[in-house]
Amino acid sequence: MFFGIAGASLGEKFNAPLVAALNVVSHIMLKVTGYVMYVAPLAIFAAISSVIASQGLGILLNYASFIGGYYLAVLLTSAVLIAVGYMVLKKEVFRLLNMLKDPVLVAFTTSSSEAAYPKTLERLVKFGCSRNIVSFVLPIGYSFNLVGSMVYCSFAAMFIAQAYNVPLSFSEITVMMLTLMLASKGIAGVPRSALVVLAADDPQLQYTGRRDPAADGYRPFPRHGALRHQRAG
């Protein structure tokens, strides 16, 4: 912040070279990201192959149940939000959903809500919302109302607990959900940022110290290994 203030005080004559250099760096980073995206399918294939080779094809059923349950929870959450929107906007909520389909598709394909921010802002203003209000409310929602990340953290935490065969009481599940709810505030809207919150809360949940190797269906997963591969897939 202080660097930006000091740079702005020097005027355009001194700032122009810095802006040009940062612009070049941003283009280089985008090019590097493009290279990574080209090889990402091979890396994902290798990661999945490694898990299947060590755990067997049966591990895919665990992943399928996790992914299916997560998307079902997301759909139910979306249905509740749409119902609340219908109570306020009536039939206009469907016009809003139609206008937001492109930003939603961008967020889904990039696994990042940040990528959809400019288009979302544009569509909300076009819908009739004040730009000043949208510019204030939308960033707050991006930082403190991350419903999808919260749902994912909850499912991932329960998935890890089941992978380690850790019995959790209702009170422990409640505490875990409240902890994840608080920890998810301010999480970055970029891919895999939820893993940071999950990893920070995992020691508190003490999975490895309470697992029961004698329980039926126990599989010695590497710590967070299944979670990482699922996110990659």
Side-chain angles (χ1 to χ4, degrees):
M1 182 179 68
F2 291 109
F3 181 83
I5 294 175
S9 65
L10 294 177
E12 184 178 355
K13 178 181 178 181
F14 293 93
N15 290 333
L18 178 60
V19 172
L22 293 177
N23 187 41
V24 172
V25 171
S26 66
H27 281 81
I28 293 175
M29 293 305 299
L30 289 175
K31 182 62 70 173
V32 172
T33 303
Y35 293 151
V36 172
M37 295 303 295
Y38 284 134
V39 300
L42 296 177
I44 294 172
F45 175 78
I48 295 177
S49 300
S50 175
V51 174
I52 294 177
S54 60
Q55 302 291 344
L57 289 174
I59 192 66
L60 296 179
L61 296 178
N62 294 338
Y63 288 145
S65 62
F66 174 47
I67 297 173
Y70 169 69
Y71 280 115
L72 178 61
V74 170
L75 290 175
L76 291 176
T77 304
S78 301
V80 172
L81 294 177
I82 293 173
V84 174
Y86 183 83
M87 294 173 60
V88 177
L89 300 175
K90 303 304 179 182
K91 294 183 179 180
E92 285 294 298
V93 70
F94 299 109
R95 184 168 72 91
L96 177 61
L97 292 175
N98 185 60
M99 296 177 65
L100 292 177
K101 62 181 180 181
D102 289 340
V104 170
L105 183 61
V106 170
F108 179 79
T109 53
T110 60
S111 299
S112 172
S113 57
E114 301 290 350
Y117 178 84
K119 187 65 70 173
T120 303
L121 178 63
E122 174 188 327
R123 294 301 173 85
L124 288 176
V125 173
K126 187 177 180 180
F127 178 72
C129 301
S130 170
R131 177 174 289 274
N132 292 332
I133 295 178
V134 173
S135 300
F136 176 74
V137 174
L138 195 59
I140 294 178
Y142 265 58
S143 300
F144 298 103
N145 192 29
L146 301 170
V147 179
S149 295
M150 177 57 201
V151 173
Y152 171 74
C153 286
S154 302
F155 265 84
M158 295 303 298
F159 180 78
I160 296 174
Q162 292 177 6
Y164 279 99
N165 286 298
V166 177
L168 295 175
S169 64
F170 179 78
S171 60
E172 289 175 322
I173 294 176
T174 302
V175 172
M176 180 176 64
M177 295 300 104
L178 293 176
T179 302
L180 291 172
M181 183 182 299
L182 293 175
S184 64
K185 301 304 179 184
I187 189 174
V190 296
R192 295 174 181 82
S193 58
L195 291 181
V196 178
V197 174
L198 193 62
D201 291 330
D202 195 13
Q204 179 181 350
L205 302 177
Q206 300 177 353
Y207 288 136
T208 53
R210 299 173 51 195
R211 67 183 183 184
D212 181 12
D216 294 336
Y218 170 73
R219 288 179 178 271
F221 285 103
R223 195 167 183 79
H224 292 297
L227 185 59
R228 285 198 299 268
H229 291 305
Q230 190 280 329
R231 291 288 288 179

